[in-house]
Structure formats: C-alpha cells, structure tokens
C-alpha cells in the first residue's frame, strides 16, 4: 500500500484545498470528471490540467501544471502509469505539497523521488472513495 491512512488523511484534510487534476477534461465518461465533482462537493478547488485546457466544473483549465499562475496544494494524477512519473516531477517543481496517483496508477520510482523531495504521496487509491470516509473528521476552516 502506497500511502497509509494517516497520509491519506493529511493529504485530504491538511495540505490545502487547491487540487490540480491532471487528465481532467470535459469528457463526462472519464473517471477524472466524476472524481473532480466529488472533490468540489467536499470543498476542494479543482483545477483542470489537460492538453485541451478546457473549463471543467466551472474552473478554467490549463495545458500543464507549469501554466497554472497560482499555487497548487495537491496534484491528482489521472494519466497512465508510464506518464505519471513526469507529472510527479512537475508537481515537485510546482511546489505542491502532495501528489495523489489514482487507482491503477503506479510508479514506484516516482513515489520514492516524490517522497524524497518532501511531499506527501498516495498511489493506487481514489480520493472520491477516501474523502467521504474522512468527512466526519474534517475541520472546517473559517
């Protein structure tokens, strides 16, 4: 398991509420679309990152993490495992505090690099499954 319960909880409740979702487009059939909606429902600002740079769920999209003109707290990665490591490296360069690889996205070398850079990281899990479990633990920020 890449990312214990404490890490999952920290990423979802302590690292901040601006989440860049890499692979999020306006395609409603893709998992990223539904997961982003759940994250929004739980108070996260979801920033779409996709080559098309589409506006999704009311948030302006960007072609890459580097193009986002503000800080990002967590990078949620919905790309194939062979592309995910590069995204994790971009998240480190962007100054994110956490990286979340979705279900089925695994890159052990990227996990080691990202943790070594001081970021929290979870792989092969889904925040839309985890966040409702934690909702009773959430501390509302004023």
């Amino acid at each position: 398991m890449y990312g214990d319960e404490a890490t999952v909880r920290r990423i979802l409740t302590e690292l901040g509420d601006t989440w860049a979702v890499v692979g999020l487009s306006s395609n409603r059939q893709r998992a990223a679309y539904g997961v982003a909606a759940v994250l929004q429902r739980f108070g996260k600002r979801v920033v779409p990152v996709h080559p098309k740079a589409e506006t999704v769920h009311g948030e302006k999209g960007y072609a890459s993490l580097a193009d986002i003109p503000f800080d990002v707290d967590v990078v949620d990665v919905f790309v194939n495992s062979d592309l995910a490591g590069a995204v994790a490296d971009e998240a480190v360069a962007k100054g994110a505090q956490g990286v979340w690889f979705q279900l089925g996205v695994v890159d052990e070398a990227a996990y080691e690099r990202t943790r070594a850079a001081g970021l929290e990281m979870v792989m092969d899990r889904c925040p839309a499954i985890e966040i409702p479990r934690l909702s009773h633990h959430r501390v509302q920020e004023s």
Side-chain angles (χ1 to χ4, degrees):
M1 203 43 114
Y2 301 99
D4 55 34
E5 294 305 318
T7 303
V8 167
R9 182 174 290 113
R10 273 195 304 279
I11 292 176
L12 289 171
T13 65
E14 296 175 22
L15 295 193
D17 289 334
T18 301
W19 282 49
V21 181
V22 179
L24 175 57
S25 71
S26 61
N27 182 346
R28 294 168 183 266
Q29 306 308 311
R30 301 297 303 240
Y33 190 89
V35 170
V38 172
L39 289 170
Q40 275 190 330
R41 211 161 50 239
F42 282 89
K44 305 299 182 191
R45 177 183 184 187
V46 171
V47 182
V49 178
H50 189 278
K52 294 183 191 168
E54 298 171 306
T55 296
V56 185
H57 299 308
E59 285 282 350
K60 174 179 168 37
Y62 297 89
S64 72
L65 283 175
D67 290 344
I68 300 173
F70 48 83
D71 290 342
V72 168
D73 301 310
V74 179
V75 176
D76 190 8
V77 183
F78 278 93
V79 299
N80 293 335
S81 295
D82 56 344
L83 303 173
V87 176
D89 296 338
E90 290 168 28
V92 172
K94 179 72 182 160
Q97 300 177 67
V99 173
W100 192 299
F101 280 10
Q102 281 296 141
L103 286 171
V105 180
V106 175
D107 180 333
E108 293 179 20
Y111 182 85
E112 296 301 328
R113 284 197 310 275
T114 304
R115 297 288 294 130
L119 283 70
E120 299 278 6
M121 186 163 177
V122 171
M123 283 197 305
D124 197 25
R125 311 251 322 237
C126 180
I129 293 170
E130 306 294 341
I131 202 168
R133 293 180 186 163
L134 297 179
S135 61
H136 61 280
H137 295 295
R138 282 188 83 214
V139 176
Q140 294 296 328
E141 294 179 28
S142 50

